[in-house]
Amino acid sequence: MTTPHRAGQAPPTQHRELTAADVGTVVTRHGIQTVEPLIRPYLRHTPVITVDRADFGLAPGPLVLKLEQLQHAGSFKARGAFANLLLRDMPAAGVVAASGGNHGAAVAFAARALGIPARIYVPHVSSPAKIARIRGYGADLVVAGSIYSDALAASQEWAADSGALRVHAYDQAETMLGAGTLGLELADQARAATQVLASVGGGGLLAGVAAWYAGRAQVVGVEPEGAPTLTAAMRAGRPVDAAAGSIAVDSLAPRRVGELTFAIIRQNAAQVLLVDDEAIAATQRLLWETLRVVAEPGGCAALAALVSGRCEPAPGETVAVVISGANTTAVDFGPRAGSANA
């Protein structure tokens, strides 16, 4: 691994490239505790709201929602972005990242906050809201390829030519350590929770949260049926290519789960469930209608497991769900007929 970006702040990572065999010695509760105070000044401590599952038409019971869509750049990705930029040596060329949108926005935001040049690659499926946010943060934006893996390949080619630091969206120790700070917060905010649900794309969020809980609660990943990256890896015993099509394709469809993230997920015994696009879309509407909370499809997948009945908690069991991803045009605040601006 690399030396720290800030003098006097020793990173919890090792000075070499990690493999799936040894990443578990770095992405740990201790590692997360060490990273948290370093990135804390740059992040929001996002709130939780506790409701009754009956509000969503389910059997009664406590439901804690971690509202991470209120984080800087609209998702939990800001945590991993700052961890990377603060823990790793920074070349003159700055950073480069590939993303469906949320990771790119987070890296662009963190780079602007720290005065670092950033180039972000996104595929054509990235939503207009995410593209606009990346551009708004001042990053050099490149649209390349039809899906995330295409954008990733283009970003890697540019990194090799430019010397820019690659900031992986999920398969990087620092990325997972940053994501793990969400678990640290949530465990304190929802101490009675015995089950924690989080959406899965490449697995960085689930890996970080699972590393923090480390068996102290049941951690469950939820992914779309059209993009079963973790499910396919669990069945094969290793990361393999999976389908990459879903209503949440711009955030939860990277083709395959990460090698490092998969190792952490298995080490901490996290589980996985699948939900269909209809359930995700219905949950997105229900979240707005019930709580006036707006989240993109990828940010609703975990809650969809409850709403659709794929996850059935025991009566009275406290369940915590991560809601993350607000980079969407689901709510239109444009001028209306009869308004002063019409």
Side-chain angles (χ1 to χ4, degrees):
M1 304 294 290
T2 54
T3 51
H5 180 67
R6 292 289 185 269
Q9 296 175 326
T13 50
Q14 301 171 6
H15 295 273
R16 57 188 172 85
E17 290 300 321
L18 295 171
T19 67
D22 57 19
V23 68
T25 65
V26 173
V27 183
T28 63
R29 287 174 63 88
H30 174 70
I32 294 165
Q33 285 175 317
T34 305
V35 167
E36 196 276 338
L38 177 63
I39 66 176
R40 170 55 43 208
Y42 302 96
L43 297 173
R44 292 173 179 152
H45 191 285
T46 55
V48 299
I49 180 171
T50 302
V51 299
D52 196 304
R53 292 196 289 274
D55 293 345
F56 290 90
L58 305 171
L63 173 61
V64 181
L65 301 179
K66 174 67 165 169
L67 303 181
E68 189 67 8
Q69 85 281 5
L70 300 179
Q71 188 54 262
H72 288 301
S75 80
F76 77 93
K77 296 285 191 178
R79 298 173 183 271
F82 275 109
N84 273 278
L85 272 58
L86 290 168
L87 285 168
R88 303 170 68 190
D89 272 344
M90 194 57 56
V95 296
V96 60
S99 170
N102 285 336
H103 175 64
V107 172
F109 177 86
R112 186 182 69 173
L114 298 172
I116 296 168
R119 176 177 281 202
I120 309 298
Y121 287 77
V122 299
H124 287 281
V125 296
S126 189
S127 73
K130 294 177 180 180
I131 289 174
R133 177 156 280 198
I134 293 168
R135 284 186 172 138
Y137 291 143
D140 181 10
L141 177 71
V142 180
V143 180
S146 58
I147 57 177
Y148 167 76
S149 57
D150 298 331
L152 177 61
S155 74
Q156 291 172 333
E157 182 177 347
W158 190 79
D161 292 339
S162 68
L165 179 71
R166 292 183 290 180
V167 181
H168 202 284
Y170 48 88
D171 211 29
Q172 179 79 30
E174 290 85 356
T175 304
M176 288 184 277
L177 287 166
T181 64
L182 185 152
L184 183 156
E185 286 181 17
L186 180 57
D188 183 61
Q189 294 169 313
R191 297 185 179 184
T194 54
Q195 190 168 192
V196 179
L197 277 64
S199 300
V200 178
L205 173 61
L206 186 67
V209 171
W212 176 257
Y213 278 96
R216 292 166 175 80
Q218 183 182 34
V219 177
V220 180
V222 183
E223 58 188 358
E225 288 183 348
T229 56
L230 180 56
T231 300
M234 290 288 198
R235 289 171 178 168
R238 59 183 176 83
V240 293
D241 284 352
S246 166
I247 190 175
V249 69
D250 64 343
S251 59
L252 301 182
R255 183 67 73 184
R256 67 164 61 190
V257 73
E259 297 280 347
L260 303 184
T261 59
F262 184 62
I264 296 298
I265 289 166
R266 287 220 300 184
Q267 176 177 304
N268 292 285
Q271 302 176 28
V272 62
L273 296 172
L274 292 171
V275 293
D276 59 35
D277 281 356
E278 290 74 15
I280 293 173
T283 301
Q284 186 183 32
R285 291 191 297 270
L286 188 60
L287 192 59
W288 170 250
E289 292 167 358
T290 304
L291 297 175
R292 282 301 187 258
V293 170
V294 180
E296 63 191 78
C300 298
L303 183 58
L306 283 174
V307 172
S308 67
R310 292 293 178 94
C311 176
E312 297 184 4
E317 180 182 10
T318 299
V319 179
V321 178
V322 179
I323 305 295
S324 179
N327 294 315
T328 175
T329 53
V331 178
D332 181 8
F333 292 109
R336 294 292 188 272
S339 71
N341 296 322

